[in-house]
Amino acid sequence: MSTPALIPMIEQLIAAPSVSSISPQWDQSNEQVIQHLADWCRSAGFQVEVLPIPGHASKFNLVASAGKGPGGLVLSGHTDTVPYDEQRWQSDPFRLVERDNRLYGLGTSDMKAFFALVLEAVRGLDLSQLKQPLTLLATADEESNMCGAQSLLETNRRLGRYAVIGEPTGLKPVRMHKGISMEIIRLHGRSGHSSNPALGVNALEGMYRVIGDILAWRDELQARHKNPLFEVEVPTLNLGHIHGGDNPNRICASCELQIDLRPLPGMVLQDLHDELAQRLERLMSGSELRLEIITPFPGIPSMETAADSEIVRTAEQLTGHTASSVAFGTEAPYLQQLGMETLILGPGDIDQAHQPNEFIGLERIQPMVGLLQGLIRRFCL
């Protein structure tokens, strides 16, 4: 059974707004969540560091650590949530509500509740007896720009040998995910009266050629790259947004296309950007259209941890499930760059993430606490 402190901890985390968004009207500080975690971690015996993120006012990471040694385990999560549609919620998103054997609230599944479960897992543990370090890592802005995880790279500090990120995986280990890349493609032409095509240069017609070339490139990528361990075994490329022109009787002077690319492990984001740019530059060579390619954010690299990694094999033994793959991105690539073999394993469900009436099932709580205790025993005691 969980202790009486567990549900109140989840309740306080949910009640602390920490929306992360690229839109300033939605974006909020995560300081209140970090302070709750800092207080609880100190009470549990951890040494706590609250790290302001350079260039991002009111955003913080937390590193709470105990024990020393070259190995150890990092239990990691993000403190932010996505924005919400309050009118589509049946209850206040910032008030924890228990109903139908579920806990409802913004961040219950993705992924504030994970922090409370970590603290529940170490309750009663004498941290002075650890043979290898145990670290709780809490980051900012995973849902928007991942500045929290990226800022850790700049410190070049070693946090541990193994890491588990508590993203919602339904208590099943995940060792691979695709990357995320987005590109904005703009063509600039010249407007004119529609009665005479010679008066202008039609960017919309040029974008028709661009789309055809991008779809041909998608076919080539999918022929070259396959991984049957993913539900969608090929890289995906989505034409997500297009806009051009302003009136039927004017030649379109500018057109913009936005695309989303999800590469498989082994595909490098910068290489894909360069390949696309070279193709489109060749395509537009000799035309009167000016090509502009903008990368709106650096992207999230794909992630893969070897099937025979110690963290993977241990999680498979504890859960009874073979480690699999997911299509969504996480902070795992950045933890890997810090030298950690990284696994994704959490109690929530991705189907609940980013949805109105987000919840976590009460039946997931004790199994997750048990998994965390098993991981701590294996890598820290």
Side-chain angles (χ1 to χ4, degrees):
M1 294 293 292
S2 61
T3 63
L6 176 59
I7 299 302
M9 277 196 295
I10 299 175
E11 189 173 37
Q12 290 182 65
L13 292 172
I14 300 306
S18 58
V19 170
S20 170
S21 175
I22 60 173
S23 300
Q25 68 267 29
W26 278 102
D27 195 52
Q28 297 173 326
S29 172
N30 69 332
E31 185 173 10
Q32 191 176 352
V33 176
I34 290 291
Q35 288 304 325
H36 283 323
L37 294 176
D39 291 343
W40 299 335
C41 286
R42 290 190 187 100
S43 296
F46 288 93
Q47 294 182 329
V48 175
E49 299 173 81
V50 174
L51 307 174
I53 299 173
H56 297 270
S58 301
K59 303 287 187 174
F60 302 88
N61 289 336
L62 175 140
V63 179
S65 57
K68 297 183 182 299
L73 177 67
V74 175
L75 300 173
S76 180
H78 62 83
T79 59
D80 56 318
T81 71
V82 293
Y84 56 97
D85 300 311
E86 188 169 9
Q87 67 274 15
R88 296 177 62 194
W89 279 74
Q90 295 178 356
S91 56
D92 183 347
F94 298 103
R95 182 170 64 88
L96 192 70
V97 173
E98 183 177 339
R99 185 174 68 248
D100 302 326
N101 205 38
R102 298 168 174 174
L103 296 175
Y104 288 87
L106 181 64
T108 47
S109 193
D110 184 21
M111 56 173 291
K112 289 180 175 180
F114 175 73
F115 295 115
L117 300 186
V118 171
L119 289 161
E120 176 74 4
V122 301
R123 192 178 305 280
L125 180 65
D126 185 354
L127 298 182
S128 67
Q129 299 302 308
L130 296 178
K131 296 178 181 177
Q132 294 290 343
L134 173 64
T135 299
L136 173 61
L137 174 63
T139 62
D141 282 6
E142 187 270 352
E143 298 288 7
S144 56
N145 55 34
M146 295 211 174
C147 65
Q150 290 175 4
S151 71
L152 291 171
L153 296 180
E154 299 168 7
T155 68
N156 202 31
R157 63 188 292 171
R158 187 170 182 83
L159 296 173
R161 182 72 182 88
Y162 304 99
V164 172
I165 301 177
E167 292 276 12
T169 68
L171 299 176
K172 297 176 181 178
V174 168
R175 66 178 186 89
M176 289 188 294
H177 67 64
K178 293 182 179 181
I180 303 172
S181 177
M182 297 179 187
E183 303 286 356
I184 299 172
I185 299 144
R186 292 176 181 162
L187 291 180
H188 303 276
R190 187 174 67 252
S191 64
H193 198 286
S194 62
S195 63
N196 186 352
L199 295 176
V201 180
N202 197 310
L204 193 52
E205 291 184 10
M207 192 61 78
Y208 171 80
R209 296 175 59 204
V210 166
I211 289 175
D213 196 67
I214 287 175
L215 294 180
W217 184 50
R218 180 175 70 183
D219 291 341
E220 294 172 20
L221 290 175
Q222 292 180 345
R224 296 200 311 253
H225 302 278
K226 285 185 171 62
N227 188 327
L229 296 176
F230 283 87
E231 181 180 358
V232 179
E233 67 175 9
V234 294
T236 59
L237 190 157
N238 181 61
L239 307 178
H241 171 83
I242 190 167
H243 178 81
D246 50 30
N247 216 50
N249 62 357
R250 264 170 51 94
I251 294 170
C252 176
S254 64
C255 189
E256 176 178 299
L257 173 70
Q258 299 178 7
I259 66 172
D260 169 283
L261 177 62
R262 303 290 172 119
L264 292 165
M267 301 173 70
V268 180
L269 295 182
Q270 186 61 50
D271 292 347
L272 291 165
H273 170 84
D274 293 345
E275 187 175 344
L276 175 63
Q278 291 166 11
R279 288 183 69 107
L280 297 185
E281 286 166 3
R282 285 196 302 268
L283 182 71
M284 291 293 104
S285 177
S287 79
E288 295 183 78
L289 292 164
R290 180 170 64 87
L291 170 69
E292 184 182 9
I293 301 176
I294 299 166
T295 303
F297 85 115
I300 302 169
S302 57
M303 168 265 188
E304 180 175 7
T305 297
D308 61 353
S309 164
E310 186 68 20
I311 187 69
V312 172
R313 289 191 285 110
T314 299
E316 289 178 336
Q317 292 166 3
L318 290 171
T319 63
H321 293 281
T322 301
S324 62
S325 62
V326 291
F328 59 85
T330 75
E331 296 172 323
Y334 306 108
L335 300 191
Q336 287 181 320
Q337 291 178 53
L338 288 169
M340 289 177 269
E341 294 182 19
T342 304
L343 185 84
I344 308 161
L345 175 63
D349 287 300
I350 195 61
D351 290 348
Q352 290 304 313
H354 305 187
Q355 295 292 325
N357 303 311
E358 178 183 349
F359 69 82
I360 186 171
L362 286 170
E363 76 280 0
R364 298 287 179 82
I365 288 179
Q366 282 309 311
M368 189 67 213
V369 171
L371 289 175
L372 290 167
Q373 290 172 336
L375 290 164
I376 293 167
R377 282 192 298 269
R378 171 60 187 84
F379 294 108
C380 302
L381 293 175

